[in-house]
Amino acid sequence: MFIEIINPDERYKNSYRGMVNIEYVHQIKIIRGRHRQYELHINLSNSPSIELIGTKEECEQFYAELKVVLKTHKQLSTTDTLIFPPQLPSQPPTDVDEEEV
């Protein structure tokens, strides 16, 4: 089972977009970085880790979303897409087309 991880936000010049086979995810951890930044590390057994930088809240929310995906998908299925940093409920998605009335 593959998931797609998208990090379009270039606030930290750390954009990432790629497919990850969840069978190779062996550790997820949040690390406190410098200057009030946090890093979400997705350690893979077959390649370098993926590091996503954001606020503590963004990292914790994405960590929770990723844990749900890893826990519920035990067999191959369609690709899930995760976007980091996660959209807050008050923010509309940036890539959704609005329907005309």
Side-chain angles (χ1 to χ4, degrees):
M1 154 76 188
F2 286 85
I3 58 172
E4 181 178 20
I5 296 178
I6 300 173
N7 173 225
D9 192 353
E10 296 184 14
R11 295 182 285 181
Y12 304 107
K13 308 217 182 308
N14 179 17
S15 62
Y16 175 84
R17 182 180 192 126
M19 302 295 286
V20 176
N21 186 333
I22 65 169
E23 292 179 23
Y24 297 119
V25 175
H26 71 88
Q27 185 181 40
I28 307 164
K29 59 184 174 179
I30 298 173
I31 298 173
R32 185 173 178 168
R34 292 183 270 165
H35 309 294
R36 296 184 179 170
Q37 295 175 355
Y38 284 77
E39 300 175 8
L40 178 72
H41 288 248
I42 303 169
N43 295 324
L44 305 171
S45 60
N46 66 339
S47 64
S49 66
I50 299 167
E51 299 173 359
L52 303 171
I53 300 173
T55 65
K56 181 180 181 182
E57 292 78 20
E58 290 169 346
C59 289
E60 288 174 345
Q61 182 180 351
F62 192 79
Y63 177 90
E65 290 177 14
L66 186 54
K67 290 292 272 189
V68 168
V69 169
L70 294 173
K71 193 176 202 179
T72 57
H73 290 84
K74 295 179 182 171
Q75 297 178 2
L76 293 177
S77 63
T78 58
T79 300
D80 284 336
T81 299
L82 298 176
I83 299 175
F84 183 88
Q87 298 283 329
L88 297 175
S90 62
Q91 296 176 333
T94 56
D95 62 345
V96 175
D97 295 329
E98 293 183 17
E99 294 181 2
E100 294 182 16
V101 177

